[in-house]
Amino acid sequence: SSSPWTAVTVGAVPVVLGAVGFTGAGITASSLAAKMMSVSAIANGGGVAAGSLVATLQSVGAAGLSLSSKVILGTTGSALVSLVV
């Protein structure tokens, strides 16, 4: 069974992603997301690799969470909360 923390954790993901610059309109200039994208592009010869962390976070920031992402994030969030509490 899932805890109330799971819902809070999963629900917070889009808010957190938006706050660091991964938005539905793209990556926000001068944000943490923009810096991550720059580092990723430099490391990959000028482009952000499909399936990379930056690409995945932007995809989630733009489209919201898929069911599988919610399950993974909810499980991870619950595990982290149980370690902290």
Side-chain angles (χ1 to χ4, degrees):
S1 79
S2 65
S3 73
W5 290 108
T6 302
V8 171
T9 302
V10 171
V13 170
V15 174
V16 171
L17 288 177
V20 297
F22 294 103
T23 71
I27 291 179
T28 305
S30 301
S31 66
L32 176 60
K35 290 174 186 160
M36 289 175 65
M37 185 174 135
S38 175
V39 168
S40 179
I42 291 168
N44 288 301
V48 175
S52 69
L53 178 62
V54 173
T56 301
L57 292 175
Q58 180 52 39
S59 178
V60 172
L65 297 173
S66 67
L67 179 58
S68 61
S69 297
K70 289 178 184 179
V71 169
I72 292 166
L73 291 169
T75 303
T76 304
S78 293
L80 290 173
V81 168
S82 67
L83 290 174
V84 173
V85 175

